[in-house]
Amino acid sequence: MKFLNMTETVFEKETLKSDYRQSNKIGRVGIGESALYFKNKMKINYMPFAEIYRAFRRIKAVPARIGSARSEIRLEFLVLCSKKDEIAEIDLPDENASNAIIEEIQKKNPDLKIGKKKD
C-alpha cells in the first residue's frame, strides 16, 4: 500500500498500515485512531484528525436524461479543509455517509468546524 499525506504531519508506514486495517469503513473512507483515510486509485490518502479544521457536505446536481425525461442526479461529496484551504473532496454514496463521517471526525477532533465558512 502506498500512503500519501494530505497535510504536514507524517506518520510511520507501519503505524499507517495497522491503523488503516483496523479503521471503521464508511463508503470509501476509513476512520482510524489517529487519521482519516480515503482511497484514490491505487493510493491511500490520509489526514490526521488534528489537522482537519472544517468539514462540510457539498452536493452537485448533474443533468441527466432518462429515456425521454430530463432529470438531475445529485452527487454527494464530503469536503475537508485546513485553516488555509480545501484539502480534499471525497465522493460518497449518500447523505448518511457524509453525516456519519463528520460525526466521527468531531469525536476525534472536538475543535472541528462544521459547515461552509460564511464570509
Side-chain angles (χ1 to χ4, degrees):
M1 284 184 250
K2 177 151 177 131
F3 291 95
L4 290 177
N5 186 10
M6 302 292 292
T7 60
E8 296 177 15
T9 304
V10 179
F11 294 130
E12 295 288 326
K13 188 172 182 176
E14 292 305 316
T15 305
L16 290 169
K17 278 184 181 179
S18 66
D19 194 33
Y20 177 72
R21 286 190 179 119
Q22 296 172 4
S23 66
N24 177 24
K25 308 286 190 296
I26 303 172
R28 57 184 216 132
V29 174
I31 308 289
E33 283 299 312
S34 55
L36 178 135
Y37 303 91
F38 62 97
K39 287 188 175 183
N40 185 9
K41 298 179 185 171
M42 299 299 287
K43 299 171 186 142
I44 300 170
N45 296 322
Y46 72 94
M47 296 171 48
F49 292 115
E51 295 193 28
I52 301 173
Y53 180 73
R54 182 178 302 281
F56 61 92
R57 294 173 48 223
R58 178 176 286 158
I59 299 167
K60 295 182 182 179
V62 177
R65 190 176 197 119
I66 302 170
S68 61
R70 291 181 182 224
S71 183
E72 351 182 279
I73 298 172
R74 293 171 49 102
L75 302 176
E76 181 82 21
F77 293 88
L78 175 66
V79 180
L80 302 173
C81 304
S82 68
K83 287 188 176 185
K84 297 177 185 174
D85 57 354
E86 289 184 13
I87 300 172
E89 183 180 75
I90 307 165
D91 60 315
L92 293 170
D94 60 20
E95 173 184 347
N96 295 334
S98 294
N99 291 335
I101 293 167
I102 289 172
E103 284 178 21
E104 290 296 320
I105 295 171
Q106 196 167 29
K107 287 178 189 175
K108 307 279 184 177
N109 179 2
D111 297 331
L112 178 74
K113 308 278 188 234
I114 299 174
K116 196 164 183 176
K117 184 177 177 181
K118 294 170 180 71
D119 291 345

